[in-house]
Amino acid sequence: MRPETSERLPGLSLGLVAGACLVLLTLIGIVEAFSQREIVSGVLSMGEGLLLFTGLFIAYLAADRGLRSAGAGRALAAGIVCGVAAAALLGGLVLLSRAVNLRQVLINASPAVFQMLLFQQEELLPGLALLGATGLLAGAAAAGLRLLPPVPRKAVTAGLVLVAGLGMLQDTVYPVLSSWGPLGDIADWVFEGLGLSRGGALLLFLAAAAASAAWAVKGQALRGGIEKLSPAGRRGLRFAGLALLAFVLAILPQALGLFLSEVLTIVGLYVLLGLGLNIVVGFAGLLDLGYVAFFAIGSYTVAILTSPELGFFSLGFWQALPFAVLFGVIAGVLLGIPVLKMRGDYLAIATLGFGEIIRILVLSDSLRPWLGGAQGIGKIPKAEIGAFEFAGPQEIYYLILAGCFLVGFISWRLRDSRIGRAWMAVREDEDVAQAMGINLVAAKLLAFATGAGFSALSGAIFASKIGSVYPHSFNVMISINILCVIIVGGIGSMPGVIVGAFALVGLPELLREFAEYRLLVYGAALVAMMLLRPEGLWPEATRRRELHEGEIEPQAEPPAAAAAGRP
């Protein structure tokens, strides 16, 4: 029997996938749009970097697959074949553009982008040769990276990520650094023109690689040294760390400026929402897709009680806040009662319907005198403490930070409590949990109520921050995004919620300058993360063990037993 093509040419299938991805990126216009900015000035544009890093990533996966199946030689061959195959598809696209006017169908298939693929060569053959050589070198580099020992591999990856990230976010990072006094001169040297300077890129790469390697080598010893400290020493170190964290969080808005403070407030709201949904989905295992309904209830409660536009009440924010949380808790119980016996997909559909019911009620003309209808409710006053008003992003940040600390502390205490262990038992197996004496009705209702109260708190702060509420602010995509945050961060992990919110909410906000392409980058990052870390960016210990259970290698036999042999 003849061997399969994929076995004779390892990495070919992934190379074709890589080529198809690169062709897609080229034809939708993102490569040309990103080429207006540079990662390293005069060396690598963002468009070229997008093609290069996408190819490197997929070639790395091909090399990893080859290494797992047949060793280092096959891994190197898989990486090279993957890179060459991807370059061949791009070359085929260039040849097709010479034979057919693709721009009649695909408006983004411009001559400029094909000239970029040929490295600005006037002649076709030299350009195609350079393209093929780049694919070969990129595949070999990805395979070489995979074959490196773990410490150097992580160091190189950290350096590449830092250079690519700072080059991409130059317009955000440079103004902040340039306003920090002495750092302004360093920023002027690191950033040049539309990207990083060559010396700055090299310095950043070496700094990130050195820091990663140092932590990998010395980190375990440092943790061991901390563990050897006396209880008083560990307590003092913990207090010093908390004091430093509090200081950094306190000065963050003034150090980052208005734009990044606004991004932090948006991330903070999603952290609040994520911590609430993490109790329902992560702790209790109840898939809730109508979570945005409680967010809307908190917002509209504050709007109705505080806005002079309706004229019903004239309460302040702090007076209305307890009512918003209370109504959120009541709504959580009301949602939980009819879905107590539902599980899985059925529960998700039922809760999704609850969220849509709330949105339609808010939009209805019959409730317009009380809820504002499609016009929403405006003139919602800001929260105040004495003469201090939480008005702009740099002030509302502290209100959101206080809410995150409060919700995080409650979640942390609940996780290790008796009810927290009951929720986790329900998540693992409802029938076994009930046989152990856990009251399923009380556990589920308490999970729904707690999560709804946290969501209503976030909605109340959101209404005060924006100053108005509209029905379109509470569509089902909010629930989907919050669920993505806790999945990407790590289901059931509280630190994972924070990391997931920064990854899925903070980064797209920083990429707003790329207009419609930022969601494409967002989706690509999600796919990459799911391939590399399916357990989440900061997973719960139990979930990490479950997903990596099959990867635990058996311990080697003792030398004596190996020498004696076994039948």
Side-chain angles (χ1 to χ4, degrees), residues 39 156-169 196 200-201 203-209:
I39 294 177
V156 172
T157 303
L160 291 175
V161 169
L162 181 63
V163 170
L166 287 181
M168 183 173 61
L169 300 175
L196 298 171
L203 177 64
L204 290 171
F205 176 83
L206 293 176

XYZ file of all heavy atoms in Angstrom, residues 39 156-169 196 200-201 203-209:
165
model
N 5.519 47.859 12.313
C 5.934 47.304 13.597
C 7.369 47.748 13.894
O 7.653 48.291 14.966
C 5.827 45.767 13.581
C 4.352 45.344 13.454
C 6.420 45.174 14.859
C 4.158 43.847 13.346
N 12.163 33.478 23.604
C 12.016 34.012 22.242
C 10.575 34.426 21.988
O 10.307 35.488 21.409
C 12.482 32.964 21.212
C 12.158 33.422 19.793
C 13.976 32.707 21.355
N 9.630 33.606 22.430
C 8.211 33.936 22.228
C 7.846 35.220 22.954
O 7.134 36.074 22.400
C 7.329 32.786 22.737
O 7.701 31.581 22.071
C 5.866 33.073 22.474
N 8.327 35.390 24.177
C 8.037 36.615 24.931
C 8.591 37.834 24.214
O 7.932 38.885 24.135
C 8.619 36.508 26.336
N 9.805 37.735 23.673
C 10.393 38.853 22.949
C 9.599 39.210 21.709
O 9.342 40.398 21.437
N 9.186 38.209 20.934
C 8.408 38.476 19.722
C 7.061 39.095 20.051
O 6.604 40.027 19.368
C 8.212 37.169 18.939
C 9.463 36.571 18.294
C 9.134 35.222 17.659
C 10.036 37.505 17.252
N 6.412 38.583 21.087
C 5.101 39.116 21.468
C 5.211 40.568 21.906
O 4.386 41.415 21.533
C 4.483 38.246 22.584
C 3.251 38.929 23.180
C 4.093 36.877 22.032
N 6.231 40.900 22.688
C 6.383 42.282 23.160
C 6.653 43.233 21.997
O 6.053 44.307 21.908
C 7.521 42.368 24.178
C 7.749 43.759 24.764
C 6.525 44.223 25.549
C 8.987 43.787 25.650
N 7.540 42.845 21.085
C 7.853 43.712 19.945
C 6.624 43.901 19.068
O 6.287 45.029 18.672
C 9.027 43.119 19.139
C 9.202 43.871 17.816
C 10.316 43.184 19.939
N 5.921 42.812 18.760
C 4.735 42.920 17.914
C 3.643 43.734 18.604
O 2.985 44.576 17.975
C 4.212 41.526 17.572
N 3.448 43.519 19.900
C 2.389 44.229 20.617
C 2.650 45.715 20.713
O 1.765 46.539 20.434
N 3.880 46.103 21.082
C 4.181 47.525 21.196
C 4.198 48.210 19.836
O 3.799 49.369 19.712
C 5.516 47.727 21.898
C 5.536 47.466 23.404
C 6.907 47.734 23.986
C 4.498 48.317 24.113
N 4.660 47.495 18.812
C 4.615 48.083 17.478
C 3.195 48.311 17.003
O 2.892 49.332 16.376
N 2.313 47.394 17.315
C 0.921 47.517 16.893
C 0.181 48.602 17.670
O -0.673 49.297 17.124
C 0.211 46.173 17.078
C -1.223 46.144 16.614
S -1.919 44.484 16.678
C -1.795 44.119 18.424
N 0.519 48.765 18.946
C -0.190 49.716 19.805
C 0.618 50.994 20.027
O 0.470 51.645 21.058
C -0.499 49.055 21.151
C -1.368 47.805 21.093
C -1.497 47.178 22.471
C -2.744 48.108 20.521
N 8.416 50.971 15.740
C 9.581 50.907 16.608
C 10.844 51.159 15.794
O 10.934 50.774 14.627
C 9.665 49.528 17.272
C 8.522 49.101 18.192
C 8.689 47.638 18.559
C 8.481 49.953 19.445
N 15.415 50.074 19.131
C 14.390 49.909 20.158
C 13.756 48.533 20.112
O 13.508 47.908 21.160
N 13.475 48.025 18.897
C 12.894 46.691 18.762
C 13.850 45.628 19.300
O 13.433 44.699 20.003
C 12.550 46.417 17.304
N 16.250 46.064 21.531
C 16.348 46.201 22.989
C 15.124 45.594 23.679
O 15.263 44.875 24.687
C 16.484 47.675 23.361
C 16.527 47.992 24.867
C 17.773 47.377 25.490
C 16.504 49.491 25.104
N 13.937 45.856 23.156
C 12.724 45.296 23.750
C 12.717 43.781 23.664
O 12.328 43.092 24.620
C 11.490 45.876 23.048
C 11.192 47.352 23.317
C 10.088 47.844 22.389
C 10.791 47.577 24.771
N 13.148 43.252 22.520
C 13.193 41.796 22.369
C 14.138 41.175 23.389
O 13.787 40.198 24.068
C 13.633 41.437 20.954
C 13.803 39.966 20.719
C 12.709 39.164 20.406
C 15.046 39.369 20.843
C 12.862 37.798 20.210
C 15.207 38.006 20.652
C 14.115 37.226 20.330
N 15.337 41.744 23.505
C 16.310 41.184 24.441
C 15.845 41.322 25.888
O 16.039 40.406 26.704
C 17.657 41.887 24.251
C 18.366 41.631 22.912
C 19.641 42.454 22.822
C 18.656 40.151 22.728
N 15.204 42.452 26.214
C 14.732 42.655 27.584
C 13.644 41.653 27.941
O 13.666 41.040 29.024
C 14.224 44.086 27.752
N 12.689 41.462 27.022
C 11.604 40.512 27.298
C 12.135 39.090 27.371
O 11.735 38.301 28.240
C 10.528 40.632 26.224
N 13.042 38.728 26.459
C 13.601 37.379 26.470
C 14.402 37.130 27.747
O 14.300 36.055 28.367
C 14.478 37.174 25.236
